[in-house]
Amino acid sequence: MSVKLSRIVLVLLILVPTATAQISVGLQPEEDKELGSNQKIDIFAEASTYRSNGVEYLRIYSREDAGEWVSSEEMQASGCADGYCSVEVKESHPAGTAIEFKAKARSRDGSTYTEGPITIEWISNSGEDEDDGETDQGKDASVSLGSPVDGAEGISTNPGFGFTVTDEDSYSMESVTLAIEEKHGSSDSPWSYYGEGQRAKTYTVTEYGSDVYVSGRNYAQQFDFSGALLDPGKSYVWAVKADDGDGDEPAKSEIRSFTTEEEDEGSGDGEDEDNGNGDDTDWNEDPHADLVVTPDRAESGTRFKFDASDSDDDDGFIDFYRYDFDGDGDWDRTTSDSVVYKRIYDDGRKEARVRAVDNDGAADTDEYDYTVTSDDDVPEIELRSPEDGEEVDPDVRFRWKITDGDDSSMDDTKLVVEEKDYNGDSPWDNGKSYDISDMTDVVQSRTVDLDEDTVYVWGIKADDGQGGYHRSEVFEFTTTEDDGDGDYDRDEANLEIEVEDEDGDELDAEVEVEGPEDESGTTGSDGEIDFDLEPGDYEVTVSKSGYRTETEDVELSEGEEETLDFELEREPEDIEVLYARIPRTVCRGDDLTAEIGITNNGGSEHLELRFVAGSSIAGKDIEIDKYSTELRRITAENIGGEEFNAVLTLENGRERRFAQEVKVNDCGSTDDISVNVRPGEITYGQNVEVSGYVEAEDRRQQVEVFVDGIKLGETTTDRRGRYSLFVRPTNAGRQDIRVEAGQATARSSVNVIPTVNVASLKLPERSFQSREFEVCAEVKSQVTPQVQLVRDGTVIDSKSAEGDVCFDTSTVETGEHTYGIVASAYGVRSGQEREIEVLELGSEVDTFPEKVATVRAEDGLVKVEVYNNREDSGLYEVSVDGLPNGWFTTTDKAFELAKGDRKTVYFYFVPEREGRFYAEIEVSRNGERIQTTNVPIKAQGTTRPQVTWHERIRSLFPSW
């Protein structure tokens, strides 16, 4: 029979983005056991889940001597329901046997959950021969009755029966049967036959949907019958028997009798009332029920304690308790235990109930509210500073971070601080509360002035207002003594992030800050977020789904306030539909062709097209190479009807639908007029010939030609009724052609392929590494084409645009790189490309060495390297100050450098006396000083022959 465990040992939660089963696996016994030789024991396992994916299977595995785990057929649950499965096996082995057992369940999404193992060891019985071959069947079950009491009168015809089944070595009953029989003469047993061979009314307890409570030491069941099951004014006997399945006779209770109440013949005067249990001699006082649930708020899957131990009965004792764990109105468990445990998974506010029933059948009910929160609902709180055990200044700056997957803000958030000496280690009961910001996913702070030289404890509590409530851990800190200046140092920097899109609209984006201190958060509706950080170098990354991720580096100094502005560009879709065209008219019996322009920006190459045109349906698989744009057509044949809604669908993981109302005309060759269009497909700008025949008594007829509703030409038929003229369609795509001659009309169509042209590509010839620059081109087409920016053959950006199209990009590696712009539409492509030289971004001025330690005959040379890292050319000048004229010579004093050019200037110092001197080398660009370098010179031993600077340079560089 199916039973549910009183305790579930382990709950394992696995959360994934889709609906995933969460399975609780229970195994009984919960702990290792030692049994007598051949003593029987029940091994029971269950698996339950409240998620949709359900339980696929549940098995009990066993092994001996650390061998392989095995599971036989009888150890596997069959017919698993979506939400619950159980399996039970009975084990009995001779002394000296030790077996491990574990339970394993699998969800329908493939996740597995295990409980155990436990070890059951069979040992020799004291004083017995362990090889006597006899089987110890264990202890038998016993049954004791509760209410109605024996001899009770005035019992309801819809009575409740209470009883307790006890079995110390079994975890479930094979069957539990309640028997009720009308008392006849001397027959006092409900187990005997009476009347015309009829047995007593018997009820198998578990067939009525009750949740039978089973534990290793106590089994109890209180069952309420509904409906008028018994006759009024009759005497009955009742009893209960329980079979634990060990092969012995079922355990039977004593037999009790009672009399049901007489039929109600009036309200009466209220005298001579009894207590409702047939005892009219002494009035029974009702018991007092008291229930406490702990914890009163916890996450889904928590094992809650339902404590009714403070319940009492002044004139008797509590016989049993009935528990309603979730307040749904149904009694979930009946037991003699005043304290029970239950894991609760369904989140929300619960109103638990307990009903205490005394030995005379009187009862009292108490309620207790508690809250179950889902894992995602509970806010997570991280305390930052002061850290646990830290010493801080008396004006304490508290810092924390609250994370909640469901909310961007809390309903109520408090900072709680208390002196440790006042109430131990917890601030929650008597600490001082401060209202603080309710924002989540960002580090928050507040400064509070506290007493110096004092030990405090602090924490944060947050409530999202939707059942998610949490208290942080508690940190302890000590304030230091005031140094007297009244000023406490703050060494942090503040970094503010502002995020917008290309149109200047604020974005709620994800922000990650990595450096000496890692932080993350989400900008608010104003696109802003700020962080208090330790000084240092940080990398800031901003991202949002559908936009390109941007990263910037920033250096923060102590006390600095810095703002970074981010502009995020929209990310093109993996598969982008540029256009979809379905003709608005079609001739009856003709085919209808739809066109779609597709750009693959790196998505799947395998796509599916479907076209429904009235009763005609077409479908085909297509392939679009990555980073390409192509035109595809699909045709529905033999169109009929009058008017319908044609639907073109593109499928590539998500569905895109395009619809067009289509009118079906009677056209083409008729008795009155015919039309032919040649060729059927042209390039935009070309002419198409429209010709045909008009049947009329007057052979010369005026003929007008309309293309897509616009009149583009007219002519007159010849004497034989024939006509011909050339027209040039003004739009791209499939164009409807209509010919009218008097009242006669004929229709056809032509497909006009657009032209695409890319010209006037503009980009710099040189650019410095990591510098941003623009790549622009003029794109012309009759439609809006897909335009791609290509670097070294790889598409790095794309957009739908025409006219002057520009991309902002930056270089990556030094060297020669090829950049180009490619535009495509309807399978037509055009592009231009050019090379760009990427230069190393170096310092504009470098000097070597930084000082001249000693000037001797072979010393005194200083090299100055000038590098134009600007975007334009410049006139550079190098000069020396601080030394007498004639003490130095130089190779160049003024020179012009183009973008990316370098120039090395040499100075040779020739001091005329010993001592310490300082030469100031100055470099200017276009008259503006860009760098000044002081070079210390120590001169000694200058009695060397005089040489010219040309000779000196030649001696240092013989190859010149």
Side-chain angles (χ1 to χ4, degrees):
M1 73 178 178
S2 296
V3 294
K4 292 185 179 178
L5 296 178
S6 64
R7 300 173 65 188
I8 300 176
V9 176
L10 176 64
V11 177
L12 178 62
L13 299 179
I14 300 179
L15 299 179
V16 296
T18 57
T20 303
Q22 169 183 282
I23 296 182
S24 170
V25 182
L27 179 65
Q28 293 280 10
E30 296 179 356
E31 300 174 347
D32 298 345
K33 283 189 173 292
E34 291 183 352
L35 305 177
S37 176
N38 295 309
Q39 183 177 343
K40 281 188 177 181
I41 187 170
D42 294 332
I43 308 297
F44 178 80
E46 71 169 359
S48 60
T49 178
Y50 64 92
R51 297 289 178 93
S52 59
N53 285 3
V55 181
E56 182 177 346
Y57 70 73
L58 170 67
R59 297 170 183 166
I60 295 177
Y61 289 82
S62 65
R63 71 176 180 181
E64 290 187 64
D65 301 325
E68 293 187 3
W69 290 100
V70 295
S71 178
S72 60
E73 184 175 349
E74 61 269 15
M75 300 169 74
Q76 302 179 13
S78 59
C80 284
D82 281 344
Y84 181 77
C85 242
S86 66
V87 61
E88 178 182 9
V89 295
K90 295 183 181 293
E91 294 285 329
S92 175
H93 296 276
T97 304
I99 300 180
E100 291 181 274
F101 296 91
K102 70 177 181 180
K104 182 178 181 181
R106 174 173 172 166
S107 66
R108 298 192 187 279
D109 66 358
S111 303
T112 57
Y113 306 82
T114 304
E115 173 63 10
I118 58 169
T119 301
I120 308 299
E121 185 175 3
W122 283 264
I123 60 177
S124 60
N125 297 318
S126 178
E128 297 181 3
D129 183 358
E130 56 185 75
D131 296 323
D132 60 6
E134 296 184 4
T135 299
D136 181 358
Q137 297 291 348
K139 299 181 180 180
D140 293 332
S142 62
V143 182
S144 60
L145 302 184
S147 60
V149 297
D150 192 30
E153 297 180 358
I155 298 300
S156 170
T157 57
N158 181 16
F161 295 88
F163 56 90
T164 301
V165 178
T166 302
D167 194 333
E168 295 185 5
D169 61 356
S170 182
Y171 292 90
S172 65
M173 294 294 106
E174 188 73 25
S175 65
V176 178
T177 304
L178 167 66
I180 309 169
E181 180 187 358
E182 186 178 344
K183 189 174 183 180
H184 291 272
S186 61
S187 175
D188 291 336
S189 172
W191 308 120
S192 62
Y193 289 86
Y194 70 95
E196 298 179 358
Q198 299 296 318
R199 282 205 68 154
K201 297 179 180 180
T202 60
Y203 304 90
T204 302
V205 172
T206 53
E207 290 180 355
Y208 290 85
S210 283
D211 184 10
V212 179
Y213 170 67
V214 186
S215 76
R217 59 181 180 82
N218 183 27
Y219 169 104
Q221 172 67 37
Q222 167 69 22
F223 194 81
D224 284 340
F225 294 92
S226 59
L229 301 180
L230 304 180
D231 296 327
K234 299 286 188 178
S235 295
Y236 290 88
V237 290
W238 73 287
V240 175
K241 66 178 179 180
D243 186 358
D244 61 6
D246 64 0
D248 293 341
E249 286 294 321
K252 293 183 178 180
S253 70
E254 62 177 316
I255 299 173
R256 289 186 179 180
S257 64
F258 63 90
T259 303
T260 55
E261 61 186 353
E262 298 287 347
E263 287 186 296
D264 186 10
E265 298 179 356
S267 60
D269 57 7
E271 295 181 358
D272 298 328
E273 295 181 357
D274 62 17
N275 59 11
N277 293 286
D279 184 359
D280 58 2
T281 57
D282 295 316
W283 184 263
N284 175 50
E285 292 186 15
D286 290 340
H288 168 68
D290 187 282
L291 176 64
V292 175
V293 181
T294 53
D296 60 2
R297 182 186 295 265
E299 297 178 9
S300 171
T302 298
R303 186 168 179 258
F304 289 85
K305 177 182 179 182
F306 298 83
D307 188 350
S309 59
D310 286 340
S311 304
D312 56 46
D313 185 34
D314 292 338
D315 60 350
F317 58 89
I318 304 296
D319 190 20
F320 58 87
Y321 300 86
R322 309 188 70 194
Y323 293 90
D324 176 6
F325 297 122
D326 51 13
D328 61 358
D330 296 329
W331 296 113
D332 299 309
R333 184 178 298 176
T334 302
T335 176
S336 58
D337 289 341
S338 61
V339 178
V340 296
Y341 295 86
K342 177 73 173 178
R343 293 189 189 276
I344 306 297
Y345 296 99
D346 293 336
D347 56 5
R349 193 168 185 82
K350 311 292 182 183
E351 185 181 71
R353 297 184 300 151
V354 66
R355 185 170 180 81
V357 182
D358 69 10
N359 56 305
D360 289 318
D364 183 40
T365 302
D366 189 29
E367 300 172 350
Y368 195 94
D369 293 342
Y370 68 102
T371 300
V372 181
T373 59
S374 71
D375 298 336
D376 295 336
D377 289 341
V378 178
E380 295 182 3
I381 304 174
E382 178 187 359
L383 302 185
R384 294 295 184 91
S385 63
E387 298 179 359
D388 196 27
E390 186 179 1
E391 291 188 356
V392 296
D393 294 327
D395 61 336
V396 183
R397 189 181 191 192
F398 296 92
R399 299 174 67 249
W400 64 92
K401 182 179 181 181
I402 301 173
T403 303
D404 192 318
D406 299 325
D407 299 281
S408 60
S409 65
M410 295 289 99
D411 185 63
D412 183 40
T413 313
K414 303 286 187 185
L415 163 67
V416 186
V417 185
E418 182 183 7
E419 287 188 36
K420 182 178 180 181
D421 294 341
Y422 183 78
N423 191 37
D425 294 335
S426 173
W428 308 122
D429 295 331
N430 299 294
K432 184 174 181 179
S433 295
Y434 301 88
D435 290 326
I436 54 179
S437 170
D438 295 327
M439 289 185 62
T440 62
D441 301 321
V442 61
V443 176
Q444 300 290 322
S445 65
R446 173 162 180 165
T447 301
V448 178
D449 291 329
L450 300 175
D451 294 336
E452 60 185 67
D453 198 20
T454 306
V455 179
Y456 289 91
V457 288
W458 76 286
I460 299 290
K461 58 183 180 181
D463 189 344
D464 63 9
Q466 302 176 10
Y469 174 85
H470 188 55
R471 289 173 176 173
S472 71
E473 58 185 325
V474 176
F475 278 3
E476 174 186 320
F477 65 93
T478 303
T479 56
T480 59
E481 293 185 5
D482 190 346
D483 58 10
D485 61 5
D487 181 24
Y488 303 105
D489 294 335
R490 298 285 178 226
D491 59 357
E492 290 183 333
N494 179 263
L495 176 63
E496 182 175 352
I497 308 297
E498 298 178 359
V499 185
E500 296 178 345
D501 63 11
E502 298 165 290
D503 301 324
D505 297 328
E506 295 83 0
L507 291 179
D508 53 338
E510 299 292 329
V511 179
E512 292 188 4
V513 180
E514 296 182 348
E517 194 173 358
D518 294 340
E519 295 289 357
S520 62
T522 304
T523 59
S525 58
D526 59 355
E528 298 180 1
I529 189 174
D530 68 281
F531 302 94
D532 291 321
L533 303 168
E534 298 177 8
D537 294 329
Y538 288 87
E539 182 181 80
V540 181
T541 302
V542 178
S543 61
K544 180 177 175 62
S545 177
Y547 291 81
R548 297 185 185 276
T549 299
E550 297 289 342
T551 300
E552 287 191 27
D553 295 330
V554 62
E555 181 180 358
L556 299 178
S557 302
E558 182 177 325
E560 180 184 6
E561 295 183 359
E562 178 73 26
T563 300
L564 292 182
D565 296 322
F566 286 84
E567 181 181 295
L568 300 188
E569 297 179 0
R570 289 178 178 84
E571 188 84 45
E573 297 184 52
D574 287 346
I575 300 296
E576 185 174 359
V577 176
L578 303 180
Y579 54 84
R581 290 188 175 88
I582 302 173
R584 293 189 291 269
T585 61
V586 63
C587 295
R588 191 180 314 279
D590 283 357
D591 298 340
L592 184 65
T593 299
E595 301 172 343
I596 185 170
I598 305 169
T599 295
N600 188 339
N601 294 314
S604 171
E605 298 180 351
H606 305 285
L607 311 174
E608 179 183 353
L609 271 180
R610 295 193 305 275
F611 187 36
V612 179
S615 60
S616 180
I617 301 175
K620 65 179 180 180
D621 296 329
I622 61 175
E623 291 191 2
I624 306 292
D625 293 338
K626 290 184 178 180
Y627 306 111
S628 67
T629 298
E630 297 187 22
L631 166 70
R632 293 303 172 96
R633 299 185 180 92
I634 186 169
T635 300
E637 300 177 344
N638 193 20
I639 302 300
E642 298 295 334
E643 189 171 346
F644 55 84
N645 190 39
V647 179
L648 176 64
T649 303
L650 175 67
E651 176 72 39
N652 71 310
R654 76 179 185 91
E655 191 176 77
R656 297 171 174 86
R657 295 166 58 90
F658 308 92
Q660 172 68 53
E661 288 288 338
V662 178
K663 183 178 180 181
V664 182
N665 297 313
D666 292 317
C667 52
S669 297
T670 67
D671 293 338
D672 297 328
I673 190 171
S674 68
V675 60
N676 294 301
V677 177
R678 293 190 304 268
E681 183 174 273
I682 62 172
T683 300
Y684 182 84
Q686 294 180 336
N687 294 328
V688 61
E689 181 185 12
V690 181
S691 62
Y693 173 82
V694 178
E695 177 70 35
E697 293 181 0
D698 183 0
R699 289 295 182 181
R700 292 188 179 273
Q701 292 285 322
Q702 187 76 14
V703 178
E704 296 177 316
V705 177
F706 298 83
V707 178
D708 206 23
I710 301 173
K711 182 179 177 180
L712 293 184
E714 62 182 5
T715 188
T716 303
T717 61
D718 61 17
R719 289 178 300 173
R720 293 175 296 177
R722 299 186 181 279
Y723 69 90
S724 176
L725 76 163
F726 289 88
V727 295
R728 180 176 296 174
T730 58
N731 295 314
R734 183 161 292 278
Q735 304 295 303
D736 175 59
I737 295 181
R738 186 176 81 252
V739 179
E740 295 181 358
Q743 300 299 318
T745 301
R747 291 178 182 272
S748 186
S749 64
V750 62
N751 189 50
V752 182
I753 303 298
T755 61
V756 180
N757 182 55
V758 176
S760 304
L761 181 65
K762 299 177 183 178
L763 71 159
E765 294 182 357
R766 304 169 115 190
S767 180
F768 292 103
Q769 188 178 17
S770 301
R771 288 273 180 87
E772 288 190 356
F773 62 93
E774 271 191 338
V775 181
C776 299
E778 184 180 3
V779 179
K780 295 181 179 180
S781 180
Q782 295 75 46
V783 296
T784 302
Q786 183 72 9
V787 185
Q788 299 170 329
L789 175 63
V790 181
R791 181 179 64 212
D792 296 331
T794 301
V795 177
I796 59 174
D797 202 353
S798 66
K799 65 176 72 174
S800 298
E802 59 179 321
D804 292 329
V805 180
C806 292
F807 293 91
D808 291 324
T809 186
S810 60
T811 57
V812 285
E813 297 178 354
T814 59
E816 298 287 338
H817 294 275
T818 301
Y819 283 79
I821 287 182
V822 178
S824 57
Y826 282 78
V828 180
R829 298 168 64 90
S830 175
Q832 284 191 348
E833 61 181 25
R834 272 176 44 192
E835 286 190 348
I836 180 174
E837 182 183 5
V838 180
L839 306 172
E840 179 184 0
L841 183 60
S843 301
E844 193 165 12
V845 178
D846 286 320
T847 60
F848 180 84
E850 294 182 353
K851 66 179 180 177
V852 180
T854 303
V855 175
R856 291 183 181 272
E858 299 296 328
D859 299 325
L861 183 68
V862 173
K863 179 175 68 174
V864 178
E865 186 173 86
V866 183
Y867 176 48
N868 184 4
N869 60 12
R870 312 287 183 97
E871 295 297 328
D872 54 357
S873 299
L875 178 63
Y876 290 84
E877 294 181 273
V878 182
S879 61
V880 175
D881 194 13
L883 294 178
N885 290 332
W887 281 33
F888 64 91
T889 56
T890 180
T891 55
D892 295 274
K893 293 185 178 180
F895 44 88
E896 186 170 356
L897 294 180
K899 174 183 176 180
D901 285 350
R902 297 176 183 270
K903 181 72 172 180
T904 302
V905 179
Y906 295 92
F907 287 90
Y908 176 62
F909 295 97
V910 188
E912 296 181 358
R913 64 176 182 269
E914 297 182 353
R916 289 182 178 272
F917 309 96
Y918 292 90
E920 183 181 81
I921 300 177
E922 179 180 294
V923 182
S924 62
R925 184 181 190 274
N926 296 334
E928 181 181 351
R929 184 172 58 186
I930 60 174
Q931 182 165 323
T932 300
T933 303
N934 289 315
V935 180
I937 300 174
K938 181 180 179 182
Q940 64 183 30
T942 59
T943 57
R944 59 186 180 342
Q946 297 292 323
V947 295
T948 67
W949 69 272
H950 294 285
E951 294 172 335
R952 183 59 175 165
I953 294 296
R954 189 176 297 110
S955 67
L956 294 175
F957 301 97
S959 61
W960 283 19

